[in-house]
Amino acid sequence: MVAAAGGAPTRPPANIEDFLWNIHTVLAAQPGPFSIDLVKDAYSKHLGHKCAIERFLVVGEGGLAATLKRIPHIVNVTTDGTGATVVSASQSADLSKAQLIDADSAYRRELIKKNALAKAKAQAAGAATGKSPAPTAKAPAPAAAAAAAEIV
């Protein structure tokens, strides 16, 4: 393993918060924005273990850039003067892990509020047009659940 900057290799992240902290420390250690193509290499060199972003975040058709854009409270994804996609840390380099976790929690709460508001608007629009909202899955009735349990 490659030694992490300033010490021995670190352990791979155990959860999303550890992974976000690792990404933050890697980006904050850079002198400025750098190519998105170098993120995984910079991560490995800085921390001494492979960047397994797919373990914590869904990397879809949009690739790494689209994935990192979903965590704007951790990573700034921009385009430089040449049109290349570059990344940098959204938070200051002196941020503590606890502060980063608090920022992540606040961002997630904000997303939940936005999603609930959008859902409420969609339901209100459906009610205004006379359309009923999409059916939701319901738990089976107690009698049906008991019958299903007897079959097994």
Side-chain angles (χ1 to χ4, degrees):
M1 267 189 181
V2 178
T10 60
R11 295 183 59 98
N15 53 49
I16 185 67
E17 290 85 5
D18 290 345
F19 178 75
L20 294 176
W21 174 249
N22 286 352
I23 286 286
H24 167 74
T25 58
V26 169
L27 297 176
Q30 305 305 313
F34 68 105
S35 172
I36 195 162
D37 297 331
L38 302 176
V39 169
K40 288 187 173 187
D41 288 337
Y43 182 102
S44 295
K45 287 178 184 172
H46 187 78
L47 297 171
H49 61 264
K50 182 181 175 188
C51 178
I53 191 168
E54 299 84 3
R55 183 171 169 214
F56 301 100
L57 300 171
V58 175
V59 179
E61 289 181 23
L64 188 57
T67 300
L68 294 177
K69 283 182 181 180
R70 292 196 320 261
I71 52 171
H73 59 296
I74 307 294
V75 181
N76 283 327
V77 180
T78 56
T79 317
D80 68 7
T82 67
T85 302
V86 295
V87 294
S88 60
S90 295
Q91 304 289 334
S92 66
D94 62 350
L95 189 79
S96 72
K97 186 173 182 179
Q99 290 170 319
L100 183 111
I101 291 171
D102 289 344
D104 183 54
S105 294
Y107 181 74
R108 289 175 193 240
R109 283 191 303 273
E110 187 64 29
L111 283 180
I112 290 169
K113 285 180 189 177
K114 286 181 182 179
N115 288 339
L117 183 59
K119 184 176 179 181
K121 283 183 179 180
Q123 287 177 341
T129 61
K131 293 182 179 179
S132 61
T136 58
K138 294 182 180 178
E150 290 176 5
I151 294 172
V152 177

